[in-house]
Amino acid sequence: MKFYILAEKKMAAQDFSKALGGQTGTRNGHDYVIGHAAGHLLKLRKPEDLVPKERSDFYHKWSFAHLPWVMRDFTWKLMYMVNKKGETTKEIIDRIATESAECDAFVIAGDDDPSGEGDLIQWDIIDWIGWNKPVYRMHFPDSGVKEVQHAFDTMEIVDRTDKAYVRSRNRRIWDYISMQLTEALNVKLGEYGIKIKSKIKGKGGRQKFVNLRAGRLKSMILKFIGDRLVERKNFKKKSYFENRYYEENSGLVFSRKYTDGDEWRYDTPEETQNEMLSQNDVIGEVKAVAKEKTPEELPLGDDLVALIDKGFDPEQIVRSAQKLKDEGFISYHRTNDRHILANQFEELVELKDALIAWFGLESQAEKINCLTPRKPYVADSIDGHGGIRVLKVVQPVEFKMNHNETELAIYDLVAKRSLMIMCENKKYISYRLRLKNNPNFEATCKKVTNFGFDEVFGKVNSKSDLDGEMLEGKTVILTIEEGSNTMPAKLNIDRLLELLKKKNIGTGASRLQAIPEAMSAGSELIEYKNGELILSPAGIISYLMSQNLLISDWHTTQKLNEFLDSGNKTIEQVYESVMELVNHDLSVIKGLTGVQELVVNHVDANMLFIPTEKISIDLPDGREVKLPKQYAWSNGKEHTFTNKELEQLSNLEEITFAMTPEVNIKAKIGEGNVNGRDYFGLITEMVPNADNIYFGEKDDFPYQIRKKLTDDRVITTDELSQLLAGQTLKIDNLMKKDKSGTYSAYFVLELEEKSEGKKYWILNRYFTDPNKMVKVVFKKKNYSLDPYFSPLGRKFTSEELEMLSAGKALEFYDLVSKSTKKNYNAKVKFMIDSQYHDLKVNMTFIKK
């Protein structure tokens, strides 16, 4: 039999090839061919494309008229994925179909994660190419040589009743159907004509808007954040007083454990003094228990998301983790299990010395001596891939040359935990002390006997630990202590993750994806400011309008997770489950009142688009047209139509008015079309303002050049001619924006590609003569870089220039002084500066 083994990505296919002895070959008497996908290649179509053609218009427009959806209308058809460049995945799928055509069996070798996502990705491909021969599944906790070989030798035949596939298929369908609630929230808001502005701009600087969201995980994230913000806002501090005992030499405080309703906390010090307690007592009972603290376990996706608390970009964390996994530096990062297998632990042990060198811990090597499998790190079996661990180690300088700061932070975290599980436990004696005459008063202390992993990683507390047995018989003094109720802590990423884990909402993998998505530009549901998660405008309204929805109730979410994770539900049962929730929540959303007041009272007016007042004008043929009293522009500027302009429009004449110094608007009444929808009303067109803009074409490509370089400097027609002729224009004595001085700059017209492949001539500004610099194209824009930068003591190599053009930063350490020719210790970081079309340099001196 000849097997076609489909890995999820190219890097995984290379690992399989290494383990099995080549991209093609024979093992155990069976031929094989290894191919690869590229993650998700197919996705579900839009609702209007999943229903019969005669019902398509019904679902095309968001409206309560077609909610709830009629499930018998849906066919669950897929479509090719499309990237930002408009390229589809058709070519990849066609290649897979061709490679597998002459094989006898298809082998699913995608990511073997508990959610079943890897199985769903490949079953979609199998169905798309019309495969009708046997299908097998390779199960592997990792892509190491032994794991892949074992997976090949023990692969099992599967079909569409496989639990992993059914689980993932049902989750996708359930989540897709529940999108009706997101649609309903936005329809309800749309009844008032209100839109929430996005902080990012669309094409041509046009204003974009953010949708409200209602989903299984995102709704819970918004609820936890919103509830905490309300708790903190409504918090009222209340003081109390109580009696405690104090031991002077050790500083230990003996107190009682408070339970709600206890009567020994008082409102005033005077009430506390009335409690009948002896003024002095002695420490009586001392219990000593030997304890150990184990090092932290291997990380999950949650631990990576928590890097947001340290200032790292959410979306960059997701991309960086995937990159490190694809490059083979770390194991699968969307795992739900911190344990690993014995052979995986042995592989870590082989990397021990390299990890010690990575962190410079050679002096602590003797404490990194737990080199045999032990609990809680190693298990006989694991669910999926096990905890995230290091798979390879390179020299720090080599790693930093090819990776950004986020990738370094992730690798450092994973490497630290990987090394930590080989360290000794922290050992200490825990003492519980009670008073002789008042045994309800307790204090605890501990004495460390071995700092173990804490000492390895430099976390030893310099303060002397207390020996509780030495305190027996010591005298304690009665004191009155003041306390107060505690304000709920700010909700940061770490605390949010703890809440989600405590309620069993989502998985480490889904949380790793959902939280960055909710913080991303364009989604903008939550923000992170001053160490606290807060709700953005769209998040605030989503939270407030979802208060009574079942999808926002964590009890409901837990039951749904149990239902979906069973892996044995039919599509009809999924329909029944989700539609029961949808019908309830739709009735709540439709019945919401006071939405406009809710929005206006809780969201900054600058972040809202509220329709302007409409006015009516009568046309010569007797028809009536309603127009907005003010024409709004994407930058927030508005033009109020004058009585004369309204009269001209009513006579079907064209009017022109200025919106920005560079743009005029031509407007008239007539037939128009927006997004394929015909209408009769105001038609507008943007045209350059010839008073402030030079515009035209050069070599068949358009240009628009602002005449004013500064308030007092205009590009002359002669200078324009020089630019159009391809010359570099040097202009001196340009005034700085803050009027603090002048500067010189070089200007040149350069052809750059914008959206949808269109090209324009752009006037770029440089502070160094671009003719003497190296040209680099970064994100379709032209940059000129100085090929010789003095702190480096040499020119950039072609490889380094390629890295810069790919958007990577360069870091160097051993630098040469230009004047003394001696080496000095500093870090210089070079990267493209997109604002000034130049090389950005950051230099940090390092202590030797």
Side-chain angles (χ1 to χ4, degrees):
M1 182 176 286
K2 187 175 184 179
F3 293 107
Y4 180 71
I5 303 171
L6 185 63
E8 191 157 312
K9 293 187 178 180
K10 187 175 182 179
M11 294 288 290
Q14 292 172 351
D15 291 336
F16 291 168
S17 179
K18 178 182 177 182
L20 300 178
Q23 186 176 351
T24 61
T26 302
R27 183 175 174 83
N28 297 338
H30 296 293
D31 295 334
Y32 67 83
V33 176
I34 300 173
H36 68 85
H40 287 273
L41 301 180
L42 299 160
K43 65 177 181 179
L44 287 172
R45 301 182 182 185
K46 295 178 180 179
E48 59 266 29
D49 297 325
L50 292 177
V51 298
K53 190 174 182 179
E54 62 272 16
R55 301 277 289 169
S56 180
D57 289 343
F58 188 64
Y59 288 94
H60 179 70
K61 184 180 179 182
W62 282 14
S63 167
F64 280 132
H66 70 255
L67 293 175
W69 295 345
V70 180
M71 298 323 305
R72 65 174 176 270
D73 287 344
F74 285 74
T75 56
W76 306 116
K77 294 178 181 177
L78 300 172
M79 61 182 290
Y80 294 119
M81 297 284 284
V82 183
N83 63 21
K84 294 180 179 179
K85 297 179 181 179
E87 300 165 342
T88 74
T89 52
K90 180 180 184 303
E91 184 178 342
I92 301 173
I93 294 179
D94 288 348
R95 170 178 53 77
I96 292 171
T98 301
E99 291 174 346
S100 61
E102 296 183 2
C103 295
D104 305 305
F106 196 107
V107 181
I108 296 174
D111 285 337
D112 192 12
D113 57 289
S115 71
E117 184 180 6
D119 298 79
L120 180 66
I121 289 172
Q122 301 214 3
W123 274 111
D124 284 347
I125 297 170
I126 290 168
D127 291 338
W128 188 274
I129 66 176
W131 182 267
N132 56 12
K133 303 175 192 176
V135 177
Y136 286 77
R137 184 36 154 138
M138 282 174 58
H139 293 285
F140 47 92
D142 218 310
S143 54
V145 172
K146 294 179 181 179
E147 287 86 350
V148 172
Q149 291 175 348
H150 179 74
F152 183 95
D153 297 340
T154 58
M155 71 173 79
E156 58 184 8
I157 196 164
V158 291
D159 57 27
R160 290 170 184 79
T161 64
D162 181 65
K163 280 191 173 183
Y165 166 69
V166 172
R167 184 187 302 125
S168 192
R169 178 204 66 188
N170 288 349
R171 182 177 289 106
R172 176 169 68 180
I173 292 175
W174 200 102
D175 287 339
Y176 192 97
I177 296 172
S178 70
M179 289 195 310
Q180 296 174 81
L181 300 179
T182 287
E183 180 176 333
L185 283 180
N186 288 283
V187 170
K188 188 66 181 181
L189 186 64
E191 288 182 344
Y192 301 86
I194 299 173
K195 295 180 181 180
I196 299 174
K197 295 178 181 179
S198 170
K199 292 182 179 179
I200 62 172
K201 300 293 183 182
K203 296 177 182 178
R206 291 186 177 275
Q207 179 65 58
K208 297 186 75 172
F209 300 96
V210 184
N211 284 327
L212 307 183
R213 294 296 179 92
R216 284 193 300 137
L217 182 50
K218 286 191 175 72
S219 289
M220 292 311 309
I221 291 172
L222 295 178
K223 182 165 180 58
F224 283 139
I225 297 173
D227 286 352
R228 180 61 59 88
L229 291 169
V230 171
E231 290 171 9
R232 287 177 58 80
K233 182 180 179 180
N234 296 334
F235 173 78
K236 293 182 179 179
K237 185 176 180 179
K238 184 179 180 181
S239 296
Y240 64 81
F241 298 87
E242 67 174 74
N243 282 312
R244 299 177 185 174
Y245 284 94
Y246 176 73
E247 202 284 313
E248 186 174 11
N249 294 321
S250 66
L252 280 180
V253 176
F254 289 76
S255 62
R256 291 166 284 194
K257 185 176 181 180
Y258 180 77
T259 304
D260 283 344
D262 284 345
E263 298 180 354
W264 45 265
R265 281 186 172 174
Y266 305 96
D267 294 333
T268 66
E270 290 74 22
E271 292 176 284
T272 311
Q273 289 176 334
N274 294 331
E275 187 177 15
M276 298 299 295
L277 290 171
S278 59
Q279 294 299 309
N280 297 306
D281 205 338
V282 295
I283 301 173
E285 179 186 6
V286 177
K287 286 189 176 181
V289 180
K291 293 186 177 182
E292 293 188 28
K293 182 180 179 181
T294 56
E296 291 182 273
E297 296 175 82
L298 293 171
L300 298 178
D302 290 336
D303 300 275
L304 306 188
V305 175
L307 289 171
I308 297 172
D309 284 333
K310 296 184 177 181
F312 290 94
D313 177 75
E315 293 180 276
Q316 184 65 42
I317 291 172
V318 177
R319 291 193 297 268
S320 296
Q322 184 65 52
K323 179 184 175 184
L324 292 175
K325 184 260 180 186
D326 290 342
E327 292 177 343
F329 279 99
I330 64 174
S331 62
Y332 187 75
H333 60 291
R334 293 166 60 85
T335 177
N336 293 320
D337 192 343
R338 294 185 188 273
H339 297 90
I340 55 176
L341 300 174
N343 66 302
Q344 294 170 336
F345 179 78
E346 291 170 3
E347 292 170 357
L348 271 184
V349 171
E350 293 176 4
L351 297 174
K352 183 193 74 166
D353 291 340
L355 287 169
I356 289 173
W358 173 274
F359 289 107
L361 295 174
E362 288 82 358
S363 62
Q364 300 292 335
E366 63 179 19
K367 290 187 175 291
I368 309 173
N369 55 22
C370 299
L371 308 182
T372 56
R374 57 175 175 155
K375 294 182 179 180
Y377 314 110
V378 180
D380 295 332
S381 62
I382 56 178
D383 182 15
H385 296 261
I388 311 172
R389 65 193 186 283
V390 165
L391 297 181
K392 68 178 180 181
V393 185
V394 298
Q395 291 293 325
V397 173
E398 179 185 343
F399 186 92
K400 292 173 182 177
M401 281 287 293
N402 297 293
H403 297 86
N404 61 36
E405 292 179 6
T406 308
E407 291 155 5
L408 176 60
I410 293 173
Y411 188 75
D412 257 342
L413 169 64
V414 177
K416 182 178 180 181
R417 297 282 190 89
S418 298
L419 184 59
M420 192 177 281
I421 66 173
M422 291 181 260
C423 295
E424 294 179 355
N425 292 346
K426 182 177 182 178
K427 298 179 180 180
Y428 60 95
I429 300 173
S430 177
Y431 297 96
R432 187 181 67 180
L433 305 91
R434 285 181 175 174
L435 301 185
K436 184 175 182 180
N437 300 315
N438 291 284
N440 288 330
F441 285 82
E442 289 187 358
T444 59
C445 63
K446 66 182 180 181
K447 183 175 181 63
V448 177
T449 58
N450 183 356
F451 282 99
F453 65 90
D454 267 357
E455 185 174 356
V456 172
F457 290 97
K459 289 187 178 180
V460 176
N461 191 335
S462 60
K463 295 182 180 179
S464 299
D465 290 285
L466 296 173
D467 186 338
E469 293 177 348
M470 301 295 292
L471 294 169
E472 187 174 359
K474 297 283 187 181
T475 301
V476 293
I477 302 169
L478 185 66
T479 63
I480 296 176
E481 299 287 340
E482 181 180 2
S484 67
N485 56 333
T486 306
M487 176 184 280
K490 289 182 178 181
L491 200 63
N492 58 14
I493 294 291
D494 203 35
R495 294 190 182 105
L496 173 63
L497 290 169
E498 284 301 317
L499 285 172
L500 293 170
K501 285 186 283 187
K502 185 177 180 180
K503 303 298 186 183
N504 193 27
I505 297 170
T507 64
S510 61
R511 293 188 287 265
L512 174 63
Q513 180 177 352
I515 294 176
E517 279 182 359
M519 301 178 76
S520 64
S523 294
E524 301 172 50
L525 296 174
I526 59 179
E527 299 174 10
Y528 193 81
K529 288 185 177 180
N530 301 322
E532 180 179 24
L533 286 167
I534 61 173
L535 298 178
S536 65
I540 291 172
I541 305 308
S542 295
Y543 166 73
L544 293 173
M545 292 179 65
S546 303
Q547 287 297 297
N548 297 313
L549 303 186
L550 289 177
I551 204 165
S552 298
D553 186 328
W554 67 268
H555 295 92
T556 304
T557 302
Q558 283 189 332
K559 292 178 183 178
L560 288 171
N561 286 336
E562 293 172 6
F563 173 85
L564 294 170
D565 288 341
S566 63
N568 59 6
K569 304 299 182 184
T570 64
I571 291 180
E572 287 71 24
Q573 288 174 310
V574 175
Y575 290 168
E576 182 180 351
S577 166
V578 66
M579 290 308 298
E580 181 181 355
L581 178 141
V582 165
N583 286 326
H584 172 275
D585 286 357
L586 273 177
S587 65
V588 174
I589 294 170
K590 288 179 179 179
L592 288 173
T593 58
V595 173
Q596 183 160 355
E597 293 79 6
L598 186 87
V599 175
V600 172
N601 291 337
H602 290 87
V603 176
D604 186 338
N606 292 326
M607 295 304 298
L608 296 175
F609 170 79
I610 300 177
T612 59
E613 179 185 348
K614 297 278 187 177
I615 53 177
S616 298
I617 60 173
D618 297 320
L619 303 181
D621 59 6
R623 284 185 293 179
E624 180 186 67
V625 174
K626 287 188 176 182
L627 302 177
K629 188 173 182 179
Q630 294 175 316
Y631 180 87
W633 182 245
S634 58
N635 61 4
K637 293 185 178 180
E638 295 177 338
H639 173 76
T640 301
F641 291 115
T642 65
N643 291 333
K644 181 179 179 180
E645 288 172 336
L646 291 173
E647 182 181 352
Q648 290 175 298
L649 289 171
S650 66
N651 293 327
L652 301 181
E653 298 175 16
E654 185 177 77
I655 65 172
T656 301
F657 54 89
M659 284 306 300
T660 71
E662 294 84 25
V663 176
N664 286 339
I665 300 294
K666 285 185 177 181
K668 64 179 180 179
I669 301 296
E671 299 282 351
N673 184 286
V674 175
N675 297 327
R677 186 166 50 87
D678 294 329
Y679 74 96
F680 182 79
L682 187 69
I683 304 172
T684 60
E685 178 188 3
M686 291 187 300
V687 294
N689 184 344
D691 292 335
N692 297 314
I693 291 287
Y694 291 121
F695 60 93
E697 283 193 354
K698 168 178 160 55
D699 301 334
D700 298 327
F701 294 103
Y703 68 84
Q704 289 189 13
I705 303 172
R706 183 183 298 182
K707 292 182 180 180
K708 279 191 174 183
L709 294 175
T710 63
D711 290 341
D712 60 349
R713 182 60 165 87
V714 175
I715 297 178
T716 66
T717 54
D718 287 341
E719 289 171 337
L720 174 65
S721 298
Q722 294 176 48
L723 290 170
L724 293 174
Q727 298 178 27
T728 299
L729 188 65
K730 184 185 179 185
I731 301 180
D732 300 316
N733 299 318
L734 291 168
M735 183 62 68
K736 293 181 179 179
K737 284 185 178 181
D738 59 3
K739 311 296 183 183
S740 62
T742 61
Y743 65 95
S744 299
Y746 296 83
F747 296 88
V748 60
L749 272 185
E750 294 180 320
L751 192 63
E752 292 189 359
E753 183 177 334
K754 295 293 185 181
S755 58
E756 300 176 353
K758 296 179 180 177
K759 291 185 178 181
Y760 301 86
W761 288 101
I762 305 296
L763 183 64
N764 284 331
R765 175 181 61 174
Y766 298 98
F767 295 104
T768 305
D769 187 350
N771 298 310
K772 297 179 180 179
M773 303 182 81
V774 177
K775 299 291 184 182
V776 172
V777 178
F778 173 54
K779 292 185 177 180
K780 299 180 181 179
K781 288 187 178 181
N782 300 303
Y783 295 85
S784 293
L785 309 181
D786 190 342
Y788 184 92
F789 196 79
S790 59
L792 204 58
R794 62 169 174 80
K795 293 183 178 181
F796 288 124
T797 65
S798 57
E799 291 79 9
E800 289 165 351
L801 289 172
E802 287 178 7
M803 289 179 64
L804 287 170
S805 66
K808 297 180 180 179
L810 305 179
E811 291 188 4
F812 302 93
Y813 292 87
D814 248 349
L815 304 178
V816 180
S817 169
K818 190 175 182 180
S819 56
T820 66
K821 307 300 181 184
K822 293 182 179 179
N823 287 4
Y824 60 97
N825 211 18
K827 179 177 78 171
V828 177
K829 183 176 179 180
F830 301 88
M831 62 188 300
I832 297 290
D833 188 321
S834 58
Q835 181 178 2
Y836 294 110
H837 293 256
D838 212 337
L839 194 64
K840 183 177 181 180
V841 183
N842 175 270
M843 181 180 290
T844 305
F845 287 93
I846 305 169
K847 292 182 179 179
K848 292 187 177 181

